[in-house]
Amino acid sequence: MCGSKRSQAGFTLVELVSVLVLIGILAAVAVPRLTGLRAFDEVGFLNETQAVLRYAQKTAIASRRTVCVAFTAATATLTIASAAGVAACDTPLAGPTGETPPYAVSARNSGATYSPIPANFSFNALGQPSNAQTIAMTGVGAVTVEAETGYVH
């Protein structure tokens, strides 16, 4: 048996490196998606809330009518006054691309909620809110509507 090759079981260096590279790629792609997806959706809900409030303000200015924002734990819905000078919002507001009224934003699958549920308010024809708002959302942060200007941030 002297001079013959012994059979050895095991992996080559190329095979080991290939497996490590594949594990690294999977870890870099899959782990953040699995752990960070909920946070991504919650931030999306925050951004959508800001957008719907800005849309409400701009619609109030452009149409010279009152636009109301009504909240539940997971939605914000817009309605508009039927005529200029009318304070009550009695007509569902369509979205910017003609979505079926009323235009609303909802938490969907994110798990985020408005906490506590904000008071309903409105934007007048000048774009000023009926009262200043700080709209808190669980795990994400808050949206603020300034009292005098209606600036949403």
Side-chain angles (χ1 to χ4, degrees):
M1 292 240 130
C2 191
S4 70
K5 293 185 175 180
R6 294 186 335 196
S7 172
Q8 293 185 357
F11 298 104
T12 66
L13 183 60
V14 173
E15 292 171 331
L16 290 174
V17 170
S18 300
V19 169
L20 289 175
V21 167
L22 287 174
I23 290 172
I25 291 171
L26 286 175
V29 173
V31 172
R33 286 291 288 174
L34 295 175
T35 60
L37 187 60
R38 181 179 171 130
F40 181 79
D41 287 342
E42 289 171 347
V43 171
F45 180 51
L46 176 82
N47 292 336
E48 286 180 13
T49 299
Q50 287 177 333
V52 80
L53 293 174
R54 288 180 182 134
Y55 176 70
Q57 182 192 31
K58 292 181 186 319
T59 301
I61 294 169
S63 65
R64 298 208 174 263
R65 293 191 270 169
T66 302
V67 175
C68 299
V69 184
F71 293 94
T72 65
T75 62
T77 306
L78 302 181
T79 53
I80 190 167
S82 58
V86 176
C89 296
D90 53 1
T91 307
L93 179 63
T97 57
E99 293 93 18
T100 304
Y103 185 53
V105 62
S106 66
R108 291 186 292 274
N109 299 328
S110 73
T113 59
Y114 298 114
S115 180
I117 298 173
N120 298 340
F121 70 100
S122 61
F123 290 100
N124 65 17
L126 298 174
Q128 299 167 324
S130 55
N131 54 354
Q133 292 282 328
T134 299
I135 302 161
M137 295 179 210
T138 56
V140 182
V143 176
T144 303
V145 180
E146 299 293 334
E148 288 297 318
T149 61
Y151 179 67
V152 178
H153 59 93

